[in-house]
Amino acid sequence: MSHIIEIEGLKKRYGDFRLEIPSFQIEAGTVTGLVGANGAGKSTTLKLLLNLIRRDAGVIRIFGMDNVERENDIKQEIGVVFDEPCFHDLLSPRNIGRVMREWYKNWDDGQYTRLLDRFSLPPNKPVKEFSRGMKMKLSIAAAMCHHPKLLILDEPTGGLDPLVRDEILDMFLEFLQDESRSILLSSHITSDLDKIADTIALLDKGRLVFHEEKDALLDSYAVVKGGNDQLALLSEEKMIGLRRNRFGFEALCRRDAARKYPQLAAEHPTIEEIMLFFTKGKMENQERTDVL
Amino acid sequence: MKGLIYKDFMLLGKQARLLLVMIIGLTGFWTWTGDTVTGAFSFSAVIVFMLSMNCFAYDELAGYEKLVASSPIPKKQVVLARYLSSLVVWAGTTAVSLICMLAVLLVKQGTLLTAQLAQIAISVPLVLALVIVLMAVWFPIFYKFGVNKSRLILILVCALGAALLVGVIALFAEQPISLSAFTGWNQVLLPLLAVAVLALILSVSYSLCVRILEKKEY
């Protein structure tokens, strides 16, 4: 498979915050979910890809081209949706279509009309009369009408009700029926990623913790549960993260390690649990070490 | 670029009716009551400046600059589109003013005087020069600081400008500037020099805007 996005030695500093991604690739035909807490560096990474902010060091190649040198060629093939819709309130979807058709060589008026129709967006109503869900649908429709090869989506389903989210996710799945297309999606809503992501990348405090195939990721970890008295059984180095409550503890371990403790209950983790254990759970684990 | 110009017109179009009434009303009033036609044309410079500032403000409010920055439009075209849309707005307001002015003069006098036509022929390029200078000075400031901060700078500049003007008038009240220098070969050379200076100012301003936009982070 060819790489749609390749990152090497990427560095960006914002005051105290430092983003460092030594290596990261996205294959064609895949959906990559970028997860992490607020301020982990998800939006910064997406902005660096789009050259909306300048990198301090490193290389970013999209479709094999440097994202700064060939910025405009690359952007002809990318559809972008930000967490906040960026359209003027006074303009209608029809006006917006008329503007954007001048930006992209492959703009497809028919596709735009079909998507407006599919999302039940009134073409002549000003955007100021739209709900947040309608505005996000409009952003997505506008991002998809030049037949991009890559969609970059920053929290596209944030603040939307489950029905709209589901509709949008279905849209993304249809987009991926052409296997040359890819999606890079940052989201807090890990259930969305459960549904559509092929690979998951976790960012924590500006560091890329892992980037793995979703199924392999879910298969290779287990959440081990037990009473407080059983915590001592668990070897510290086998634990990725630890959470304690008044009934006992939960720990994330590699699945093969979890098998060594048959006396403890082991369950399949969700993406959210993996994310929490890798970030928040790590801190608790550190606290435990300090206490011991 | 065409799309961005089109967008500016669609946004400004929402205020078009009100502006049209203002332009026609004020031009008609000034032409009917005044001795000169310069005032009516100068108003178009103010309108163009205000509308351009509105376009920047609309973009800022919507976060549109981020969307444009993630599109394949080169930064040079983004800036050029803003200058062109402002110039087209100036052309439009001037055309409306001109039609209104000629109509009022015909109604008032029954004919058009050569002196008035000459005044119109001089006023239009002078106001265009004023519009170009305003764009050249303020567009880089709008791009750099955004409209809100620029408004404060504008208030400060207006206050200082007014103080300076009062000072200059007081200083030269007893020694009016002689217009005899603007005769003979100077009548050709000075306009050419003015065009060259305006072109230089505009190109410096344009390059500055492009550089600001290229360095901007979103």
Side-chain angles (χ1 to χ4, degrees), chain A residues 83-103:
Chain A
D83 51 349
E84 288 294 329
C86 298
F87 298 122
H88 296 90
D89 277 352
L90 294 172
L91 301 185
S92 66
R94 186 169 305 233
N95 296 150
I96 290 163
R98 278 181 193 158
V99 172
M100 291 187 80
R101 83 153 70 110
E102 302 295 338
W103 296 2

Side-chain angles (χ1 to χ4, degrees), chain A residues 12 14 47 50-55 71-73 75-76 78 80 82-83 85-92 95-96 98-100 102-104 154, chain B residues 1-4 6-7 10-11 14-15 55 58-75 213-218:
Chain A
K12 175 71 185 175
Y14 271 133
K47 284 179 184 175
L50 292 166
N51 198 29
L52 296 180
I53 52 175
R54 307 287 103 79
R55 60 191 182 227
E71 183 178 0
N72 297 326
D73 294 330
K75 286 177 178 174
Q76 278 289 351
I78 297 181
V80 185
F82 295 109
D83 51 349
C86 298
F87 298 122
H88 296 90
D89 277 352
L90 294 172
L91 301 185
S92 66
N95 296 150
I96 290 163
R98 278 181 193 158
V99 172
M100 291 187 80
E102 302 295 338
W103 296 2
Y104 296 100
D154 191 5
Chain B
M1 185 174 72
K2 233 164 75 183
L4 291 173
Y6 187 56
K7 181 264 302 170
M10 281 189 290
L11 288 172
K14 307 286 172 190
Q15 310 161 25
C55 286
Y58 284 137
D59 286 358
E60 222 173 279
L61 190 70
Y64 199 69
E65 285 181 323
K66 193 167 145 185
L67 185 72
V68 173
S70 65
S71 78
I73 313 168
K75 307 281 186 289
L213 215 55
E214 279 172 348
K215 287 190 171 179
K216 208 165 188 174
E217 297 199 330
Y218 300 91

Side-chain angles (χ1 to χ4, degrees), chain B residues 32-181:
Chain B
W32 190 268
T33 57
D35 295 330
T36 65
V37 293
T38 320
F41 285 123
S42 307
F43 181 62
S44 67
V46 177
I47 295 246
V48 172
F49 182 67
M50 273 167 44
L51 292 182
S52 304
M53 195 153 78
N54 279 1
C55 286
F56 277 98
Y58 284 137
D59 286 358
E60 222 173 279
L61 190 70
Y64 199 69
E65 285 181 323
K66 193 167 145 185
L67 185 72
V68 173
S70 65
S71 78
I73 313 168
K75 307 281 186 289
K76 286 179 179 175
Q77 287 193 16
V78 175
V79 174
L80 193 59
R82 188 45 55 83
Y83 281 93
L84 286 177
S85 61
S86 298
L87 286 174
V88 173
V89 170
W90 168 79
T93 52
T94 303
V96 173
S97 292
L98 189 62
I99 292 166
C100 179
M101 187 181 294
L102 294 177
V104 171
L105 286 173
L106 278 172
V107 170
K108 189 181 169 186
Q109 302 162 176
T111 181
L112 295 170
L113 304 174
T114 316
Q116 284 169 332
L117 291 176
Q119 213 174 33
I120 289 171
I122 292 171
S123 300
V124 172
L126 278 179
V127 173
L128 174 61
L130 178 64
V131 168
I132 289 173
V133 170
L134 281 174
M135 288 193 315
V137 171
W138 286 99
F139 281 13
I141 295 173
F142 290 153
Y143 276 119
K144 179 75 183 171
F145 300 107
V147 172
N148 280 337
K149 279 185 191 165
S150 298
R151 278 198 187 112
L152 296 176
I153 299 171
L154 183 65
I155 292 167
L156 199 69
V157 167
C158 284
L160 288 174
L164 199 68
L165 194 67
V166 168
V168 167
I169 288 170
L171 205 64
F172 290 100
E174 300 301 316
Q175 306 159 291
I177 298 165
S178 169
L179 292 176
S180 58

Side-chain angles (χ1 to χ4, degrees), chain A residues 112-137:
Chain A
Y112 186 60
T113 311
R114 278 193 295 278
L115 285 179
L116 293 184
D117 194 42
R118 178 177 172 170
F119 285 144
S120 306
L121 296 171
N124 295 316
K125 209 173 179 181
V127 171
K128 67 179 173 191
E129 291 176 28
F130 284 13
S131 66
R132 180 177 160 76
M134 289 166 86
K135 285 181 186 174
M136 286 314 292
K137 284 190 213 172

Side-chain angles (χ1 to χ4, degrees), chain A residues 29-93:
Chain A
T30 60
V31 180
T32 300
L34 204 54
V35 293
N38 286 330
K42 303 188 295 294
S43 293
T44 304
T45 306
L46 299 186
K47 284 179 184 175
L48 283 164
L49 287 171
L50 292 166
N51 198 29
L52 296 180
I53 52 175
R54 307 287 103 79
R55 60 191 182 227
D56 296 335
V59 178
I60 298 175
R61 279 187 292 270
I62 303 179
F63 312 124
M65 298 179 275
D66 185 277
N67 79 322
V68 177
E69 285 168 18
R70 303 283 300 277
E71 183 178 0
N72 297 326
D73 294 330
I74 290 170
K75 286 177 178 174
Q76 278 289 351
E77 307 290 345
I78 297 181
V80 185
V81 176
F82 295 109
D83 51 349
E84 288 294 329
C86 298
F87 298 122
H88 296 90
D89 277 352
L90 294 172
L91 301 185
S92 66

